[in-house]
Amino acid sequence: MVEGGSEEEEAEGERGEMLGAPRHNGFLPGKEAENGGPGGCAAGGAGVRPETRLSRRRLAVLAVFSCYSLVNAFQWIQYSILSNVFVRFYGVSFTEIDWLSMVYMVAYVPLILPATWLLDARGLRLTALLGSGLNALGAWLKCCSLAPGRYALTMAAQAVCAVAQVFILGLPSRIASVWFGPGEVSTACSAAVLGNQLGTAIGFLLPPVLVPNTPDDIDLMAHNISIMFYGTAIVSTLLFFLTGVVFEEKPKYPPSHSQALLQAMPPEDYSYKQSIINLIKNVPFVLLLISYGIMTGTFYSVSTLLNQMIVTHYEGVTMQQNFSGLRALGSITCGEVPSRSGQCSRVLLAAGEFSLGDSHIQTTLIVYILSFVGMVVFTFTLDLGYLIVVFVTGGVLGFFMTGYLPLGFEFAVEITYPESEGTSSGLLNASAQIFGIVFTLAQGKLTTDYSPRAGNIFLCAWLFVGIILTALIKSDLRRHNVNSGIMNVDIKAVPVDNPVERETCTALKIQSDL
């Protein structure tokens, strides 16, 4: 069992105050607290900035989450990549097999608000257990569908995995914020998102190896499918138990000053309904919500229909291996940019060097523009007859599209602080699912009735709209400013209700500066 007590955290305790910015007057930089002391008694009566430490457990939490998120993404794509196999095995149409992928998007939209409420009300550990537990349950139910004619059962099992996804996709930014320090948070979020993308990549690569197409031998086909299903079930069950062992609600000490401020808030001051209202009234977040939905919806649509587009021009050839491998690399690389750039730094991106006064917004916009350019190039080189060109352009497109995902998560947390990371991430993912459903249906219709180019041009037009919306976003990196001692959120000292405590201390109330 991973120890999360003071023993392991004392080992890194000497790094405590080094994680944050230089000391200020307690929780109110630049001001003297009203009780007469140089910093008052915020955070439990201490007259100094609260102690921050890194726990070794954070790496185990991140690793376990990334692994069960990987398995969930693997289960999402395993049917689509073997569509011809499952059409033959279950005796259904290609459209019905496509719905085994679409159910992930459909389930997310109505369930995201209850899931984010649960994350805020009951915490990180319970949400993680639900995600990993439902993931394992769905995997075992699939093992019961290993016979022709059991399509309904495999759909039900996939629906359970889709519900598990609701408790998974919103956690990367929450885990990064709660467990990692200011210098690690972007990289941690990127690594958490990377797990999901690696799952999709493995879902493209491994199933065709495990389940070759044997249309004339259904028994052999069932045997091969059973190897994939039972292997997935065993791994997901192991990860469920590891989640129970490793995950805790939060570390003993906050990893950053921004987390210390949030933990100092009385629970009764938080309202989930008010948090949703604050996010909806936050214009930069609404613009990001739409632009993120467009980008990620395009990514979902291209992933779902990629095989159909390639087969149209190159019969018998697939390119998912190249596409998915580079997009996983893009996730961790683009996540490193805001993490390591800091303020007024220089970032080497692609072939050019950009001077970034504000790394998050400019990096986000640059990646968005490069994704648009990649989509345009992919669209007009798809039918040239040179497969190597398609591999390269598809790989570049996947690199930048997937690299945008952790950037969007982290940017949302920055501009909405101190609102819940789970709520902002959940709304971003809901937008992505809605756009993904619409784009997949629309692009599929255009591809079938006209050509893959028509469907891709449709997506290019929407990506151009997304660039405009991203350029309009006002960058206000609230969490970063709090950690740096630059207060860009409204943190007010208000007297507590107890008249005795009022004489000796002030309580913190944190509100969004909308």
Side-chain angles (χ1 to χ4, degrees):
M1 182 172 179
V2 179
E3 294 295 333
S6 59
E7 291 81 10
E8 70 163 26
E9 294 179 340
E10 287 292 342
E12 297 193 15
E14 295 180 359
R15 299 182 59 189
E17 289 290 330
M18 296 174 62
L19 296 176
R23 291 174 180 264
H24 292 277
N25 294 330
F27 285 92
L28 301 172
K31 297 182 180 180
E32 296 294 325
E34 294 182 1
N35 65 345
C41 58
V48 296
R49 185 185 181 101
E51 184 178 16
T52 57
R53 298 185 184 182
L54 291 179
S55 167
R56 287 197 185 100
R57 183 186 288 265
R58 73 192 188 283
L59 301 178
V61 169
L62 180 62
V64 171
F65 170 79
S66 297
C67 287
Y68 78 74
S69 178
L70 181 153
V71 174
N72 183 260
F74 175 84
Q75 296 196 80
W76 166 57
I77 206 65
Q78 66 183 171
Y79 291 101
S80 294
I81 194 62
L82 297 172
S83 57
N84 55 335
V85 173
F86 284 106
V87 163
R88 178 74 177 88
F89 185 73
Y90 288 118
V92 296
S93 67
F94 280 96
T95 301
E96 288 172 291
I97 297 301
D98 288 343
W99 273 105
L100 290 170
S101 172
M102 296 277 286
V103 69
Y104 265 59
M105 305 180 200
V106 173
Y108 194 91
V109 177
L111 295 178
I112 183 55
L113 291 181
T116 53
W117 174 86
L118 185 71
L119 176 61
D120 291 338
R122 300 300 300 273
L124 183 62
R125 176 178 166 81
L126 177 62
T127 304
L129 287 171
L130 281 173
S132 60
L134 290 172
N135 199 40
L137 176 61
W140 283 110
L141 286 176
K142 289 180 182 181
C143 297
C144 300
S145 66
L146 289 168
R150 295 186 181 178
Y151 171 80
L153 182 56
T154 208
M155 172 60 83
Q158 188 74 336
V160 174
C161 294
V163 175
Q165 176 207 214
V166 181
F167 299 101
I168 294 174
L169 289 187
L171 291 190
S173 57
R174 181 63 165 259
I175 290 173
S177 297
V178 171
W179 283 91
F180 289 83
E184 305 172 326
V185 67
S186 291
T187 303
C189 182
S190 181
V193 174
L194 175 65
N196 195 269
Q197 301 309 311
L198 282 177
T200 306
I202 295 173
F204 278 136
L205 291 167
L206 191 57
V209 176
L210 296 176
V211 189
N213 190 14
T214 56
D216 298 327
D217 192 341
I218 296 298
D219 291 337
L220 178 59
M221 185 181 292
H223 172 72
N224 293 333
I225 294 174
S226 70
I227 294 176
M228 180 174 66
F229 281 177
Y230 277 105
T232 305
I234 292 171
V235 171
S236 58
T237 302
L238 175 62
L239 289 171
F240 170 66
F241 286 115
L242 285 176
T243 302
V245 171
V246 169
F247 264 76
E248 286 187 350
E249 187 58 38
K250 60 184 178 180
K252 181 177 180 181
Y253 297 98
S256 64
H257 186 43
S258 59
Q259 274 299 304
L261 287 174
L262 291 179
Q263 292 177 18
M265 289 180 62
E268 59 271 15
D269 281 357
Y270 177 77
S271 167
Y272 178 73
K273 178 181 177 181
Q274 186 60 46
S275 179
I276 295 292
I277 294 174
N278 290 344
L279 292 174
I280 293 174
K281 292 167 63 178
N282 187 325
V283 175
F285 176 73
V286 172
L287 292 174
L288 178 62
L289 188 70
I290 299 172
S291 61
Y292 182 91
I294 292 173
M295 172 69 83
T296 313
T298 300
F299 166 71
Y300 288 160
S301 182
V302 171
S303 296
T304 302
L305 301 174
L306 181 62
N307 192 50
Q308 297 180 35
M309 289 188 283
I310 299 303
V311 170
T312 300
H313 298 294
Y314 307 89
E315 187 175 353
V317 177
T318 59
M319 64 166 293
Q320 284 91 336
Q321 291 89 341
N322 179 276
F323 183 82
S324 55
L326 279 181
R327 75 186 190 188
L329 176 63
S331 178
I332 191 67
T333 303
C334 291
E336 285 287 334
V337 171
S339 173
R340 299 191 180 278
S341 60
Q343 297 186 60
C344 302
S345 64
R346 302 182 70 81
V347 177
L348 185 64
L349 185 59
E353 193 178 51
F354 300 89
S355 179
L356 304 185
D358 187 325
S359 62
H360 275 82
I361 180 59
Q362 295 210 28
T363 304
T364 301
L365 183 59
I366 290 168
V367 173
Y368 215 116
I369 293 172
L370 292 175
S371 298
F372 169 74
V373 172
M375 188 69 199
V376 171
V377 174
F378 176 76
T379 297
F380 290 99
T381 59
L382 182 60
D383 58 353
L384 293 182
Y386 299 100
L387 193 58
I388 185 63
V389 175
V390 180
F391 281 168
V392 172
T393 57
V396 171
L397 175 62
F399 178 90
F400 287 114
M401 276 192 165
T402 308
Y404 177 81
L405 303 184
L407 288 177
F409 278 151
E410 279 301 291
F411 194 26
V413 174
E414 290 289 346
I415 64 178
T416 61
Y417 179 86
E419 306 299 343
S420 168
E421 302 92 345
T423 304
S424 61
S425 298
L427 292 177
L428 287 182
N429 281 317
S431 175
Q433 307 300 330
I434 293 172
F435 277 100
I437 293 170
V438 174
F439 285 177
T440 301
L441 294 175
Q443 187 189 13
K445 181 69 173 174
L446 290 171
T447 299
T448 302
D449 293 351
Y450 299 98
S451 68
R453 175 174 291 187
N456 287 331
I457 291 176
F458 168 79
L459 296 180
C460 288
W462 276 101
L463 285 176
F464 185 75
V465 173
I467 291 175
I468 297 174
L469 295 177
T470 302
L472 295 175
I473 297 175
K474 177 185 177 183
S475 179
D476 181 11
L477 306 185
R478 301 175 180 179
R479 183 181 63 181
H480 172 76
N481 291 338
V482 168
N483 286 327
S484 301
I486 306 170
M487 202 62 62
N488 260 15
V489 292
D490 184 17
I491 303 183
K492 300 178 179 179
V494 295
V496 294
D497 294 331
N498 189 320
V500 177
E501 294 179 355
R502 182 182 296 115
E503 296 177 0
T504 59
C505 186
T506 59
L508 290 175
K509 184 175 182 61
I510 306 178
Q511 300 172 335
S512 294
D513 184 17
L514 299 175

